[in-house]
């Protein structure tokens, strides 16, 4: 059995265990994480069996875990941890299509985020991205894993390859000025933004929706190559169609389009219908895709025809955009603290006055359908 003694509340530094069969990865991760004054690497071991021995003496606050390892694979180890003592786990995964599918299994087993690593130039990549690695570990330490269901996928935080980037606003992609959106029509759509805890939350919401539902544009902070696999998994579980958005895709009832990792997604209008524009551009709020970019585009072209929803996530991406949507006449909702894994993005949106209503995760599907039917959204 694994050690289940509680952590000491007095601990100030995030205590981390690294489990990876590559000595180069273990050494590089240890160096960059220990360089952060808020993090302490307790140990770095080559496989899960060694990790379990070390955990009998000292349980980490966060585990950085590889998936493919000898003796016991990372998925088996992760499931054992989540069954005996749920602990925030950051998956260290290679950025490939095959790796994306395997990593989604890890997310479904209980991991909270992803750190992507290339096959070549690993040490240089880890050194350049040291600030992002430390941020991923700190974010994981704040995740309320009790809010995550073991059967659902978990959040994936995007990692940038070149250190901490400038924090651009949505102005870097599109200006806030422009003609006012057309008046309300019968074509109602939904824009959703989420991050930490969002993959699980999206599954819970989207699987509750019937085939006839408003069209949805969704930004989930996620690295490239992972969004297509994530959308495919949701599509296999939902009555509605879910897929990764492509440039020019029309937003139709019964369809949810997820922004591709590494690209920004904007809502556009042509006559009586809406479509998606996929663009490159700088990181906005250190994310690409950015929720603020989607929300601003929705405010500009949809106005009262769109419902904006900001869900669980670290940081403030989407908070300003939701306020712009509300100012443009859109209905807006923030997920409540009790049902969030991390009450960061919704909290900032509420503070800025962008949330017209604050609702629990379980109340969102009904509110989305009510909006699509032209009804008033009830709530706080």
């Amino acid at each position: 059995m694994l050690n289940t003694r509680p952590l000491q509340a007095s601990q100030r530094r995030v205590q981390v265990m690294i489990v990876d069969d590559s000595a180069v990865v273990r050494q590089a991760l240890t160096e960059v994480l220990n360089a952060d004054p808020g993090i302490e690497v307790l140990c770095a071991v080559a496989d899960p069996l060694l990790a379990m021995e070390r955990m009998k003496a000292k349980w980490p606050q966060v585990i950085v875990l590889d998936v493919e390892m000898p003796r016991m694979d990372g998925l088996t180890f992760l499931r054992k941890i989540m069954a005996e003592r749920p602990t925030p786990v950051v998956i260290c995964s290679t950025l490939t299509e095959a790796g994306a599918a395997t990593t989604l299994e890890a997310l479904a087993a209980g991991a909270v985020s992803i750190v992507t690593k290339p096959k070549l130039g690993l040490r240089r990549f880890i050194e350049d991205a040291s600030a992002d690695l430390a941020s991923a570990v700190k974010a994981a330490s704040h995740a309320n894993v009790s809010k995550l269901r073991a059967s659902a996928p978990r959040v994936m935080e995007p990692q940038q390859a070149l250190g901490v980037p400038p924090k651009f606003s949505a102005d870097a992609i599109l200006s806030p000025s422009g003609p006012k959106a057309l008046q309300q029509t019968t074509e109602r759509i939904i824009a959703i933004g989420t991050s930490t805890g969002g993959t699980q939350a999206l599954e819970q919401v989207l699987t509750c929706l019937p085939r006839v539902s408003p069209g949805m544009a969704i930004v989930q902070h996620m690295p490239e190559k992972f969004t297509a696999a994530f959308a495919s998994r949701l599509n296999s579980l939902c009555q509605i169609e879910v897929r990764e958005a492509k440039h020019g895709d029309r937003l139709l009832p019964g369809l949810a389009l997820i922004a591709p990792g590494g690209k920004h997604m904007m809502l556009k209008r042509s006559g009586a219908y809406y479509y998606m524009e996929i663009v490159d551009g700088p990181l906005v709020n250190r994310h690409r895709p950015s929720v603020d970019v989607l929300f601003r585009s929705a405010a500009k072209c949809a106005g009262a025809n769109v419902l904006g929803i900001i869900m669980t996530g670290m940081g403030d991406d989407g908070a300003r955009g939701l306020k712009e949507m509300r100012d443009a006449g859109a209905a807006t909702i923030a997920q409540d603290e009790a049902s969030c894994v991390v009450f960061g993005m919704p909290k900032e949106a509420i503070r800025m006055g962008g949330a017209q209503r604050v609702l629990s995760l379980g109340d969102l599907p009904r509110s989305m359908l009510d909006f699509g039917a032209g009804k008033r959204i009830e709530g706080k």
Side-chain angles (χ1 to χ4, degrees):
M1 291 293 293
L2 299 178
N3 186 351
T4 57
R5 288 181 295 176
L7 294 167
Q8 296 298 316
S10 60
Q11 291 174 344
R12 295 181 180 179
R13 301 173 72 187
V14 179
Q15 299 190 321
V16 180
M17 170 181 283
I18 298 167
V19 188
D20 196 299
D21 64 329
S22 168
V24 174
V25 171
R26 294 197 303 274
Q27 182 180 356
L29 287 176
T30 298
E31 289 175 3
V32 297
L33 292 178
N34 274 337
D36 190 296
I39 298 174
E40 175 189 1
V41 176
L42 294 176
C43 62
V45 297
D47 64 58
L49 296 182
L50 291 173
M52 287 189 287
E53 285 299 314
R54 294 293 188 93
M55 292 163 78
K56 291 177 181 178
K58 186 75 170 180
W59 196 281
Q61 291 172 276
V62 176
I63 299 171
V64 177
L65 178 66
D66 191 12
V67 177
E68 297 179 357
M69 290 179 289
R71 298 211 293 172
M72 178 186 289
D73 65 90
L75 288 174
T76 300
F77 178 54
L78 176 61
R79 293 186 179 108
K80 185 175 181 64
I81 291 171
M82 299 308 292
E84 298 194 19
R85 180 176 171 178
T87 302
V89 173
V90 175
I91 294 296
C92 197
S93 175
T94 303
L95 189 62
T96 65
E97 284 80 359
T102 302
T103 301
L104 281 178
E105 291 186 54
L107 296 170
V112 296
S113 80
I114 297 171
V115 171
T116 56
K117 60 180 180 181
K119 290 183 176 180
L120 301 175
L122 179 60
R123 173 172 284 278
R124 177 60 184 273
F125 170 83
I126 292 175
E127 290 172 352
D128 288 345
S130 59
D132 296 306
L133 296 172
S135 295
V137 167
K138 290 177 179 177
S141 72
H142 292 290
N144 188 342
V145 292
S146 66
K147 301 285 177 63
L148 298 172
R149 291 180 294 131
S151 61
R154 303 302 192 266
V155 72
M156 295 174 275
E157 295 286 356
Q159 306 301 320
Q160 292 81 42
L162 298 175
V164 179
K167 189 176 181 181
F168 291 111
S169 72
D171 293 345
I173 306 298
L174 72 166
S175 67
S177 60
K180 189 173 181 179
L182 297 177
Q183 296 300 310
Q184 187 168 337
T185 69
T186 57
E187 183 75 7
R188 292 193 151 198
I189 57 175
I190 297 172
I192 300 174
T194 184
S195 184
T196 317
T199 51
Q200 182 272 346
L202 284 172
E203 179 180 331
Q204 185 172 333
V205 170
L206 298 187
T207 54
C208 290
L209 297 176
R211 188 176 300 275
V212 180
S213 298
M216 285 163 273
I218 300 170
V219 166
Q220 160 72 62
H221 292 158
M222 188 177 289
E224 60 178 318
K225 298 186 184 294
F226 289 90
T227 42
F230 175 58
S232 177
R233 183 181 189 279
L234 286 179
N235 188 60
S236 71
L237 299 173
C238 298
Q239 295 184 55
I240 62 171
E241 180 184 0
V242 184
R243 55 184 167 86
E244 184 183 64
K246 293 182 174 58
H247 186 75
D249 275 349
R250 184 175 173 183
L251 192 59
L252 299 168
L255 173 64
L257 295 173
I258 295 180
K263 302 284 186 179
H264 290 298
M265 183 171 75
M266 295 186 291
L267 184 70
K268 296 291 183 177
R269 186 166 186 163
S270 177
Y273 68 85
Y274 298 97
Y275 67 96
M276 310 315 301
E277 184 174 2
I278 309 299
V279 300
D280 289 315
L283 304 173
V284 173
N285 299 319
R286 302 196 178 102
H287 293 289
R288 187 175 54 234
S290 164
V291 181
D292 265 341
V293 171
L294 173 63
F295 282 1
R296 173 172 289 183
S297 69
K300 292 183 69 172
C301 77
N305 301 321
V306 62
L307 166 64
I309 303 175
I310 192 164
M311 295 164 62
T312 175
M314 183 74 67
D316 63 0
D317 187 33
R320 294 169 186 82
L322 197 73
K323 180 64 164 61
E324 292 180 21
M325 290 182 68
R326 186 175 185 183
D327 291 343
T332 58
I333 297 174
Q335 185 181 348
D336 69 357
E337 182 175 9
S339 63
C340 281
V341 173
V342 178
F343 189 55
M345 289 160 51
K347 180 180 180 180
E348 286 302 303
I350 295 167
R351 184 184 66 81
M352 293 181 186
Q356 185 180 20
R357 297 285 185 270
V358 178
L359 300 177
S360 71
L361 188 66
D363 289 334
L364 290 182
R366 172 47 56 193
S367 295
M368 294 161 70
L369 295 176
D370 284 347
F371 176 79
K375 299 178 182 178
R376 175 184 172 84
I377 297 175
E378 302 296 336
K380 298 179 181 178

